[in-house]
Amino acid sequence: MSASVPPKPKSSARDPYFDNAKYLAIILVAAGHSWEPLPDSGRIVAAVYAFVYTFHMPVFILISGYLSRNFDLRPDRAWRLVTTLLVPYAVFEVAYTLFERVLRDSSFPLSPADPYWLLWFLPALFLWRLTTPIWQALRWPVPVSLGIAVVGAMGHGIGGDLQLERVLQFLPFYVLGMRLRPHHFELLRTTRVRLAAIPVCAVALLAAYWTEPRMNHAWFFRSSNAQDLGAPFWVGGIMTLALFGCALVLGGCFFAWVPGRRLWITALGAGTLYGYLLHGFVIRGANYLGWYDDLEFLGTPLGRVAVTLSAIAVVTLLCTPPVRQVFRFVVEPPLGWAARRNGTEGPARA
């Protein structure tokens, strides 16, 4: 009987398309963060900021959902959640707290229940992955997750622990990513869609320029409910659905132009978590050291371009294999010794 059982297929290699997409998404994240401290950035930068923030985190989260679509709570995969999300979260919460105390505020509190700035993504991804089996079992997971997001934007008093409002409002992108299959991305990569993406993005940029003085950018962060942003509660539901639609359209344009072949950026896509966790030290460090205020050049159009290119260069460097090798012990700590051998042996790829 053993001879008649076909051998298990080997795990497939990483798909260069998604590694390319992750790298392009992380440079948008870093660029957006580098624009925040710019003095008098101007309406054009603010419009580009709004344009990018409409889809860059939704894209990242959608990819996370897509790569987690086969996730289950098998012991080895559950243990990998701990080692790749919870442990790095704890380490970087401490690291960023010490960073703040040294450079800005000696009394800056350590608050694990209130994630520091960009660290919200780690506990959010942990919670989303834990609920993956539930979404796999539901008949209409995306509409249900959208309903939860609407409640998150309309509700008052949900609480700030682990930035739960943000977790709920970004949830539909994770669930949608779980429901997507390779042929959906193939449809986006047709010549017709790629050509259509150009005028769509142009119109979106013009719309962002028009709405810039009329709209609160905090809506894009999904970290507050409507009442906290000074709007009636029902506006939260409308904004959630509107931003979801805008993110889908612009995210589709983004995916349409992601190259599918293996390039020099492909290897960097495997290290985007390193770039994400580490680039905050550089950008906030530059801000706290006064570089944004003291260098008048940064207030000029050419200076803003220089800031953008510098952010791209920094996050690219942080995704490279040498940097990953240095920081692997905190981002991907070797904690196999702490796991039960019979329950968690062999890491799983989610």
Side-chain angles (χ1 to χ4, degrees):
M1 289 181 61
S2 60
S4 64
V5 177
K8 293 183 179 180
K10 295 182 179 180
S11 59
S12 58
R14 298 181 68 99
D15 188 337
Y17 175 76
F18 291 103
D19 278 335
N20 294 340
K22 287 165 60 179
Y23 169 75
L24 295 175
I26 197 62
I27 67 173
L28 292 178
V29 171
H33 286 161
S34 72
W35 297 334
E36 292 177 2
L38 280 173
D40 302 322
S41 58
R43 189 171 177 179
I44 293 179
V45 173
V48 175
Y49 179 89
F51 172 80
V52 169
Y53 267 71
T54 301
F55 70 92
H56 76 326
M57 281 311 297
V59 160
F60 229 116
I61 296 166
L62 188 145
I63 294 174
S64 298
Y66 177 81
L67 297 178
S68 303
R69 64 194 187 280
N70 296 322
F71 179 82
D72 55 39
L73 292 178
R74 204 173 64 196
D76 59 332
R77 291 183 172 178
W79 178 248
R80 187 165 174 80
L81 279 185
V82 173
T83 59
T84 60
L85 294 176
L86 288 190
V87 173
Y89 173 64
V91 170
F92 277 89
E93 270 292 325
V94 173
Y96 272 111
T97 298
L98 296 176
F99 171 78
E100 288 282 341
R101 290 179 179 179
V102 170
L103 291 187
R104 189 172 69 95
D105 180 3
S106 60
S107 61
F108 191 85
L110 174 63
S111 51
D114 183 16
Y116 176 87
W117 188 29
L118 50 71
L119 295 182
W120 70 270
F121 182 70
L122 295 184
L125 185 55
F126 177 82
L127 293 174
W128 292 331
R129 279 190 173 165
L130 279 182
T131 63
T132 296
I134 298 175
W135 303 113
Q136 291 170 335
L138 279 177
R139 179 171 295 181
W140 301 292
V142 176
V144 171
S145 66
L146 263 177
I148 293 174
V150 167
V151 172
M154 295 172 60
H156 189 66
I158 291 177
D161 290 349
L162 299 180
Q163 297 196 19
L164 187 56
E165 288 177 337
R166 181 176 270 174
V167 173
L168 298 179
Q169 293 182 51
F170 274 121
L171 173 64
F173 299 104
Y174 178 84
V175 176
L176 175 62
M178 286 178 48
R179 302 298 297 169
L180 295 178
R181 295 296 180 263
H183 69 272
H184 293 120
F185 293 96
E186 290 295 332
L187 292 174
L188 290 174
R189 296 166 61 191
T190 62
T191 302
R192 180 177 300 178
V193 175
R194 286 180 175 177
L195 293 178
I198 298 173
V200 168
C201 288
V203 171
L205 281 168
L206 291 175
Y209 184 84
W210 181 82
T211 59
E212 191 280 324
R214 300 171 174 85
M215 183 177 176
N216 187 347
H217 284 167
W219 285 108
F220 297 105
F221 305 149
R222 273 89 161 185
S223 58
S224 304
N225 60 66
Q227 296 172 73
D228 290 339
L229 297 178
F233 78 95
W234 53 267
V235 174
I238 295 175
M239 290 299 296
T240 297
L241 297 176
L243 289 175
F244 181 76
C246 292
L248 288 188
V249 172
L250 294 180
C253 295
F254 171 88
F255 283 117
W257 281 97
V258 171
R261 63 187 184 280
R262 189 169 299 277
L263 302 170
W264 66 270
I265 66 173
T266 305
L268 301 174
T272 51
L273 184 60
Y274 290 79
Y276 183 82
L277 293 174
L278 295 171
H279 82 277
F281 292 107
V282 179
I283 291 175
R284 292 227 159 161
N287 187 23
Y288 295 159
L289 293 174
W291 295 359
Y292 277 90
D293 295 324
D294 296 341
L295 299 177
E296 297 182 0
F297 168 70
L298 298 184
T300 66
L302 188 58
R304 293 162 191 158
V305 173
V307 166
T308 305
L309 294 178
S310 298
I312 293 174
V314 166
V315 79
T316 298
L317 176 65
L318 295 176
C319 293
T320 58
V323 174
R324 288 157 51 192
Q325 187 66 32
V326 171
F327 290 99
R328 188 179 303 276
F329 74 101
V330 290
V331 179
E332 299 178 86
L335 296 177
W337 55 269
R340 293 176 56 187
R341 298 285 296 178
N342 61 344
T344 60
E345 190 171 9
R349 294 183 59 184

